[in-house]
Amino acid sequence: MDVQKIRLLRAKLRLLERESGDPFKSDSGCCGLTLAQCHTLIEVGSTGEVSLVDLAANLGLDTSTLSRTINGLVFLGLVNRLTNEKDRRYVSISLTDQGKKVFIEIEKTFNDYFLRVMEIVPLEKREAIIEGISLFADALHTYNHSAACCRDEAPSAPGESE
């Protein structure tokens, strides 16, 4: 793939990142929560009861950063934080009844938003977009969690050059 196409991809990814956050532009987009709180609530709601360590890994955060976000959600009455009596280092996180209501509201907001966006896309292209984004997200995840991301220079794919 040539450098111009990579530059276009990067530009479109920046645009995608800026524009896909649109539901957050108003307080109603995430029920008045911060972006970090919203992402945390969505992850807990999607996962169910989850350990603090696993939740931090899923969100790509360290546990101390996530703990501060969890503290805010506990204060708001949206999540439960339970420490294991036998191993005080193990903390599980789950949604409260109020947290479940907010999670459902957030899910509806985002589902409605992206449904409206996808209605702009020609019908015959919708599945291709979902498949392409899924493949690309999985490729990013695979690459970022491999040793290749830690090397000074990433290897080129066979037959690839600038």
Side-chain angles (χ1 to χ4, degrees), residues 70-94:
I70 294 295
N71 288 344
L73 291 170
V74 168
F75 179 77
L76 293 171
L78 301 177
V79 299
N80 296 308
R81 178 184 41 221
L82 302 169
T83 304
N84 187 299
E85 292 176 14
K86 294 179 183 175
D87 183 356
R88 302 218 18 101
R89 294 172 297 172
Y90 184 85
V91 177
S92 66
I93 309 298
S94 61

Side-chain angles (χ1 to χ4, degrees), residues 10-11 37 42 56-57 72-73 78 116 120 129 133 155:
R10 291 177 45 229
Q37 289 172 328
I42 291 169
L73 291 170
L78 301 177
R116 289 191 307 270
I120 296 168
I129 287 174
I133 289 174

Side-chain angles (χ1 to χ4, degrees), residues 46-73:
S46 298
T47 307
E49 186 173 314
V50 62
S51 75
L52 182 66
V53 171
D54 289 344
L55 182 59
N58 293 348
L59 292 169
L61 300 171
D62 61 66
T63 54
S64 63
T65 300
L66 182 58
S67 289
R68 289 188 291 278
T69 301
I70 294 295
N71 288 344
L73 291 170

